[in-house]
Amino acid sequence: MSRGPVGAPDVVILGGGAAGLSLAHRLVETAVASVTVVEPPDGPARPAERTWCYWDQGDADADGFGEAVAATWPLLRMHDRDGSPLTVDPAPARYRMVRSTAFERLVHAKLERSPGGRLLRARADTVRDIPGGAEVRCTEPDGRTMTLRAGLVFDSRPLRALPPARTQLLQHFRGWFVHTRTDRFDPAVADLMDFRVPQPRHGLAFGYVLPLAPDRALVEYTEFSRSPLTTAAYEAALGHYARDVLRLGEFAVETAEQGVIPMTDARFPRRTGTAVFRIGTAGGATRPATGYTFAAVQRHSLAVAAAVRDGRAAVPAPHGRRALAMDAVLLRALDTGRIDGPAFFTGLFRRTPTHRLLRFLDGATSLREEWGIGLRTPVGPMLRTALEVPFLPRRTHPAPGTGKSPR
């Protein structure tokens, strides 16, 4: 059984992850357009709860999703391989954690309260251009088909295969939410990169600790490398990090998360039809050299909402060309082993003012600032790589599997 076209909203958003919900949040908040979000029904197609982290310089409440922020850290720390700690104050920025369930609950409530908002639990099957907009055919949980028509469609669903790239690494990890018997964590300090773990042949590995209380934290083992590990290998690496490096003593694992983020210099098509656009990781929002996505998604959502408001046909890119070119060089340098990953990242944090480095990672620095930061990196290997990258062929790489919680 099928149903004919449903009352046409201005915008249909496919996928209820970070990108889809963030755009819906901006559109509903500003009443720019009527919005229907299509999310998979409960079942295997819906991802498990995820953790999204980002830094910003404002008040989370001002963004409209402060109540979804699970924790905030005013200080950041790194550990070199020899154990030397470096603690930095990124003021006025703060590092924040959002849990996907809380964010979904927040945006779903806003959609429900908005006269122009709607949440539809269904599987999006096909999307095609039609005169004056686009048409989405969906299958509802009871098996009935439904047709949605809208002026614009924004598609955040994961790609089945990544576009060809010159270099592709994967950021893959497993994390434990742990509860220790005694107080072991400083809730004011987030450990972004702890390199006191064995390093892979290609890329790098690090620990990642986000304290939620003196006796609770998210503890992760992360690699930037070519292939994911088995769950057993992640568990072994996490056990070594928690017990032998952090020396947590007796602790319980309350829950776990695991995933893979592509780190690639592929060119992601942002437009797949006259009225159909890609957003989120599928639209190139993931920063190739770091895997961070959530902050870029917020900026991009604001830009897309402004484009919808102004009636512009083009949607801006999530990242600038200069930032992507620098990321391509760094990915290649890491993959070839020309630079030492732990030394590279700790050196950047030691030699660059933190507020400037965070703006650099967000793609918000000037050419002059980027030149100054570049001089603080291994100039010879980076220059050699920069001269090589434009001549490398783009080729298809194996798909990374199920996408993960974007940071």
Side-chain angles (χ1 to χ4, degrees):
M1 181 182 295
S2 64
R3 289 198 282 169
V6 176
D10 298 317
V11 172
V12 166
I13 298 172
L14 304 182
L21 291 180
S22 294
L23 180 55
H25 165 70
R26 298 301 180 189
L27 293 173
V28 167
E29 183 180 55
T30 57
V32 165
S34 58
V35 182
T36 294
V37 177
V38 181
E39 288 188 10
D42 292 337
R46 289 188 66 80
E49 186 174 24
R50 292 142 291 160
T51 300
W52 300 323
C53 290
Y54 68 107
W55 49 73
D56 68 6
Q57 299 189 22
D59 183 348
D61 290 327
D63 293 328
F65 51 79
E67 63 190 79
V69 173
T72 299
W73 299 274
L75 299 176
L76 305 176
R77 183 167 58 201
M78 302 183 74
H79 285 270
D80 209 339
R81 276 177 297 195
D82 63 5
S84 303
L86 172 66
T87 302
V88 297
D89 183 351
R94 291 292 182 266
Y95 197 57
R96 307 188 196 279
M97 172 198 283
V98 171
R99 293 287 281 163
S100 62
T101 300
F103 192 66
E104 289 170 4
R105 189 163 52 243
L106 172 71
V107 179
H108 289 175
K110 289 196 172 187
L111 285 168
E112 186 176 351
R113 292 194 303 266
S114 170
R118 181 187 180 201
L119 176 66
L120 174 64
R121 290 293 179 87
R123 184 186 73 238
D125 299 317
T126 61
V127 186
R128 68 184 184 95
D129 282 325
I130 60 173
E135 180 182 85
V136 181
R137 289 186 64 82
C138 305
T139 301
E140 297 182 84
D142 61 6
R144 291 187 301 172
T145 60
M146 172 189 291
T147 301
L148 295 173
R149 290 175 180 169
L152 293 168
V153 172
F154 293 96
D155 191 350
S156 70
R157 294 173 300 168
L159 299 175
R160 294 183 179 178
L162 295 175
R166 294 167 297 199
T167 308
Q168 179 176 301
L169 294 177
L170 302 176
Q171 180 180 154
H172 53 97
F173 63 91
R174 184 170 175 85
W176 288 340
F177 284 87
V178 302
H179 182 195
T180 56
R181 184 175 182 180
T182 59
D183 292 351
R184 293 287 181 176
F185 306 106
D186 182 351
V189 184
D191 283 289
L192 286 189
M193 287 182 161
D194 186 342
F195 293 110
R196 295 175 294 172
V197 296
Q199 296 298 311
R201 182 177 178 184
H202 294 277
L204 56 91
F206 56 90
Y208 179 63
V209 182
L210 301 181
L212 304 174
D215 61 347
R216 294 176 185 269
L218 169 59
V219 177
E220 285 189 0
Y221 172 81
T222 301
E223 282 192 15
F224 294 179
S225 60
R226 295 177 179 177
S227 303
L229 306 180
T230 63
T231 299
Y234 288 122
E235 288 283 296
L238 261 174
H240 164 72
Y241 181 56
R243 296 183 179 94
D244 302 330
V245 178
L246 297 179
R247 299 185 181 278
L248 295 184
E250 186 177 339
F251 65 88
V253 177
E254 297 180 324
T255 187
E257 66 174 25
Q258 181 173 321
V260 181
I261 306 170
M263 302 174 68
T264 171
D265 65 355
R267 294 170 177 164
F268 288 83
R270 301 196 309 275
R271 193 169 194 163
T272 58
T274 303
V276 183
F277 298 86
R278 287 277 187 181
I279 58 172
T281 295
T286 298
R287 187 73 192 263
T290 64
Y292 279 98
T293 307
F294 194 78
V297 159
Q298 302 315 308
R299 293 191 301 273
H300 196 228
S301 296
L302 285 170
V304 171
V308 172
R309 178 196 63 209
D310 298 340
R312 286 181 269 132
V315 169
H319 300 290
R321 292 183 180 179
R322 212 164 59 231
L324 294 178
M326 290 186 290
D327 282 3
V329 172
L330 178 55
L331 282 178
R332 178 68 178 176
L334 284 172
D335 190 42
T336 58
R338 288 180 188 146
I339 62 171
D340 179 281
F344 179 88
F345 282 103
T346 54
L348 274 183
F349 272 87
R350 288 186 187 280
R351 302 184 192 116
T352 308
T354 307
H355 68 279
R356 185 180 303 165
L357 181 57
L358 295 186
R359 288 196 302 110
F360 171 72
L361 295 176
D362 275 345
T365 42
S366 66
L367 181 59
R368 180 178 179 179
E369 289 174 318
E370 290 160 5
W371 179 257
I373 292 172
L375 292 176
R376 294 178 172 91
T377 66
V379 175
M382 295 296 283
L383 182 57
R384 175 187 171 188
T385 306
L387 294 173
E388 173 190 68
V389 163
F391 301 99
L392 295 174
R394 294 182 182 271
R395 56 190 180 86
T396 301
H397 295 261
T402 303
K404 158 318 172 189
S405 49
R407 290 202 170 104

